[in-house]
Amino acid sequence: MRKKIVAGNWKMNKVHADAINLATEVIGSSYDGSVNLIVIPPAVFVSEITKIAASSKVAVGVQNTSQFEAGAYTGELCTAMIKSVGAQYALVGHSERRAYFNERNEVLAAKVKQVLKDELTPIYCCGEMLEEREKGNHFNLVKTQIKEGLFHLDSSQILNCVIAYEPVWAIGTGVTASSDQAQEMHAFIRELLTDKYGADTAQSISILYGGSCKPSNAKELFLNKDVDGGLIGGASLNTSDFIAIANSF
Ligand code: 13P
C-alpha cells in the first residue's frame, strides 16, 4: 500500500513566533492519522520545529537543499546539516526554484542523489506552465522532468522518493486542476515509472498533487486512484484548513 501524504510547504512565510505557533498548532491538532503529515517550514525554523514534533506523528521537511556535499558554498544548506537537525524530507525542484533560481533538471538530479545519500526522502516536484498545457506539450515536459531528474536512480533508490505533480498554472492562483486532469497526469507519471522500474515499484511510489488544493476540493482530488495526497501551499498556513485537507481521504 502506498503512503498517503499531506505536506505543507510554507514557502517564504512567517517570522519566528508565528512559525512556532503554526507548527505547535498543527502538531497538537487532531487528524485521523491515516495520512503522513509533513510540515515544510523555512529552513531557519526547522531545528526548533523538529524538536516540537519529536514525539508526534508529524514529520518535518525542508524546501531546498544544496547539491553539494559540504564546503565553500556560501549561503547554502547541505543535506547532512538538514539531517542532523531531524528533518526527514526535502523538496527538490519546486517550480518556484526552477523559475526564479534557474534550477535545471541536471542540478535537480544531483540534489536528489545527495538527499538520498543522507537518507532523507526527496519530494521531487514536476509540472508544466500554462503555455505548455495550451500547446499540448504538458505530457512531454513532465516526462522530461521525471526522466532527467529521477531516472538516474536504481529501483531501491526510487522507492525512497515521493513525486509531486504541481501544474504551475494552479499554484497560488486559486485555479485547481480538475480531478480528471490531476488523475490523467498522475497515471501518466506512474506509467513512466512502470516502464522504467516495473509495475511493483511504480505502484509503491506516492504521487502528490499540488496547486490551489484546499478543504473544498481535496476530497475529490484524493479520490483518484493515482493521487496519493497533496503538497499544499497557501492552505497549509492555516491550521484548520491544513488539518481539514489531511482529513479528506
Ligand atoms: P498553493 O497551494 O498555494 O497553490 O501552492 C502549491 C504549492 O506550490 C505547494 O508546493
Side-chain angles (χ1 to χ4, degrees):
M1 256 266 279
R2 293 194 286 274
K3 271 191 192 166
K4 304 281 185 204
I5 297 172
V6 170
N9 173 13
W10 298 2
K11 308 192 179 184
M12 198 172 73
N13 291 295
K14 306 284 177 193
V15 294
H16 180 262
D18 300 333
I20 300 308
N21 208 15
L22 176 59
T24 306
E25 273 180 18
V26 168
I27 291 160
S29 64
S30 57
Y31 68 103
D32 66 16
S34 62
V35 296
N36 292 264
L37 206 58
I38 306 170
V39 290
I40 311 181
V44 68
F45 307 129
V46 163
S47 175
E48 194 169 343
I49 292 175
T50 56
K51 290 193 189 95
I52 301 169
S55 54
S56 77
K57 286 191 190 152
V58 177
V60 183
V62 291
Q63 298 171 16
N64 181 36
T65 58
S66 172
Q67 69 270 39
F68 302 114
E69 181 119 21
Y73 299 101
T74 300
E76 291 291 282
L77 296 175
C78 66
T79 48
M81 294 169 185
I82 289 156
K83 175 87 178 169
S84 73
V85 295
Q88 296 171 55
Y89 291 85
L91 293 183
V92 177
H94 190 280
S95 63
E96 288 147 21
R97 302 289 319 167
R98 292 176 185 266
Y100 307 137
F101 303 96
N102 213 25
E103 293 193 355
R104 301 273 167 261
N105 294 332
E106 194 184 34
V107 167
L108 301 174
K111 289 192 179 202
V112 167
K113 221 167 158 180
Q114 193 57 42
V115 167
L116 287 168
K117 186 166 169 280
D118 275 312
E119 296 174 338
L120 299 162
T121 301
I123 302 176
Y124 181 78
C125 305
C126 59
E128 80 285 358
M129 298 206 285
L130 183 58
E131 61 184 86
E132 285 146 349
R133 182 164 278 266
E134 284 174 347
K135 279 192 271 176
N137 196 33
H138 45 302
F139 290 114
N140 263 337
L141 184 112
V142 169
K143 182 177 182 179
T144 303
Q145 290 174 333
I146 295 283
K147 277 173 79 169
E148 294 184 358
L150 289 178
F151 280 5
H152 58 302
L153 303 177
D154 64 26
S155 292
S156 67
Q157 291 171 315
I158 196 85
L159 280 169
N160 289 320
C161 296
V162 172
I163 295 172
Y165 169 60
E166 298 201 303
V168 180
W169 47 271
I171 296 178
T173 57
V175 180
T176 321
S178 71
S179 179
D180 288 350
Q181 285 171 322
Q183 169 56 26
E184 188 184 31
M185 185 60 86
H186 283 227
F188 174 75
I189 294 169
R190 206 175 302 287
E191 216 173 280
L192 294 174
L193 294 168
T194 304
D195 289 347
K196 171 81 178 165
Y197 297 103
D200 286 354
T201 300
Q203 288 299 328
S204 302
I205 297 169
S206 300
I207 307 176
L208 315 183
Y209 168 79
S212 297
C213 184
K214 38 191 185 260
S216 57
N217 57 28
K219 208 177 196 104
E220 199 190 335
L221 287 161
F222 297 168
L223 270 176
N224 289 300
K225 77 176 170 62
D226 288 296
V227 178
D228 304 306
L231 180 54
I232 319 300
S236 73
L237 298 173
N238 176 291
T239 306
S240 57
D241 284 353
F242 187 55
I243 297 302
I245 292 170
N247 286 335
S248 293
F249 280 98

